[in-house]
Amino acid sequence: MAAQEQRRTRANWGLACLIAAFGLAVFGYTVRSGRADSALLFVVLPALLAAALALTPGKTTHGRVFRLTTIVLLLAAVALHEGAICVLIASPLVYAVAHGTAALIRLARRSRMLAVLPLPLLLVGGIEGTSQDLRIQPDQSVEVSRVVALEPAAVRDRLAAGPRPVALGRLPLRLLGAPAPTHVMGDGLEPGDRWMFGYDGSSHGAGGAIITEVRAAGPDEVDFDVLSDDSITARWLRWRGASVRWHAVGAGRTEVTVVLGYQRRLDPSWYFGPIQDRLMHAGGEHLLDMLALP
């Protein structure tokens, strides 16, 4: 027993050293890439946590599954850098699958029949998204409304002035460290007018921009097409268009509504659909902040 424990301890230390070496390599690459400002948060911290977990023995089956799953997620976060937001969003699903699989294996040792019963559900959930024909409602939209203390004419003037970058005010976006446009150009509400939302490549890796164009405009509504999108958000969704409409709701008060259409790129729908819906609602609120409509 003592020899087995000693071998396990050596294996734990070996794994911790490999994790530390991986973390140092990614840290060096990140600093050389000019992203030292975020290297501590996105590289050093996850690598240290993973190394610490490698030195912590798991006493039960689910304890060992939790430890190994967490190590893998942390290393994925290190490798993906700012893409760690994807790891964070997906981690509850990964834990559920890992622990569910461990439970099925333990159940199979007692009764193979009981262990086989959940397999059809797992297969149905696993094949969604493997092709475009096997997706459930990937095209979604969100609608965000806000009443502002402005006349409709003043709202139109603010919209015509175009958006401007502002700090994230929505709690879900701040907690996830979601990327936000850092340089914005464009104004106008006439067909053909363009607005550009640019992302800082030095702090968010991918950078890129979303370029929109006014497709149609009326006295109380404007519709936008998305001409191109090579921003970091393209990892999670494809924009289908957007519209802004407004109408008076009382003396000196106007209700402004933003409608954002997008195609979800993450599956399964039952998990990522509601998550993206809430994040897109927060994004719509942020857009209203950028339009100076608090």
Side-chain angles (χ1 to χ4, degrees):
M1 179 66 74
Q4 183 180 0
E5 193 68 30
Q6 187 176 13
R7 285 196 299 271
R8 184 180 302 171
T9 301
R10 288 177 180 174
N12 288 350
W13 275 105
L15 179 59
C17 290
L18 288 175
I19 292 171
F22 175 75
L24 285 173
V26 177
F27 179 78
Y29 171 77
T30 304
V31 172
R32 288 195 301 273
S33 301
R35 291 179 286 168
D37 56 338
S38 57
L40 287 174
L41 175 62
F42 291 109
V43 178
V44 175
L45 180 60
L48 286 176
L49 290 173
L53 281 171
L55 296 174
T56 306
K59 297 181 179 180
T60 65
T61 299
H62 284 286
R64 289 189 290 271
V65 168
F66 176 82
R67 181 170 64 95
L68 291 175
T69 303
T70 303
I71 289 173
V72 171
L73 288 173
L74 288 169
L75 293 180
V78 170
L80 293 173
H81 203 65
E82 283 82 1
I85 183 174
C86 301
V87 178
L88 182 61
I89 292 173
S91 58
L93 181 60
V94 175
Y95 280 118
V97 172
H99 284 283
T101 302
L104 284 177
I105 292 174
R106 293 188 64 184
L107 187 61
R109 293 173 180 172
R110 301 176 184 176
S111 171
R112 292 185 179 180
M113 182 62 67
L114 290 177
V116 169
L117 290 178
L119 289 181
L121 293 177
L122 292 176
L123 290 174
V124 170
I127 64 174
E128 183 184 351
T130 54
S131 74
Q132 288 299 317
D133 296 329
L134 294 173
R135 304 198 67 201
I136 299 175
Q137 295 182 335
D139 293 332
Q140 298 181 229
S141 66
V142 297
E143 186 173 303
V144 180
S145 296
R146 178 184 295 180
V147 175
V148 297
L150 293 171
E151 296 286 351
V155 169
R156 183 179 179 84
D157 290 341
R158 291 203 177 182
L159 291 173
R164 295 293 179 266
V166 295
L168 286 174
R170 306 299 110 185
L171 184 60
L173 300 180
R174 294 206 313 270
L175 289 176
L176 287 173
T182 53
H183 48 282
V184 181
M185 299 173 58
D187 53 32
L189 298 179
E190 297 300 322
D193 289 339
R194 294 185 178 184
W195 295 3
M196 187 277 290
F197 301 84
Y199 292 79
D200 187 357
S202 64
S203 62
H204 287 289
I210 302 170
I211 300 176
T212 66
E213 182 178 85
V214 176
R215 180 179 72 250
D220 55 5
E221 184 175 1
V222 58
D223 299 323
F224 293 88
D225 284 331
V226 177
L227 299 183
S228 65
D229 179 9
D230 60 358
S231 70
I232 188 174
T233 62
R235 298 175 180 179
W236 314 309
L237 58 94
R238 291 188 181 95
W239 290 105
R240 296 190 294 114
S243 65
V244 184
R245 56 179 184 264
W246 58 96
H247 66 275
V249 292
R253 292 165 64 82
T254 302
E255 183 179 67
V256 185
T257 300
V258 172
V259 180
L260 303 173
Y262 65 97
Q263 184 184 80
R264 188 188 70 253
R265 297 192 65 185
L266 303 177
D267 290 301
S269 57
W270 59 266
Y271 181 80
F272 288 107
I275 291 176
Q276 284 202 262
D277 180 78
R278 296 313 308 163
L279 291 177
M280 292 301 294
H281 269 88
E285 294 278 2
H286 184 66
L287 177 59
L288 289 171
D289 292 341
M290 295 177 68
L291 293 168
L293 296 170

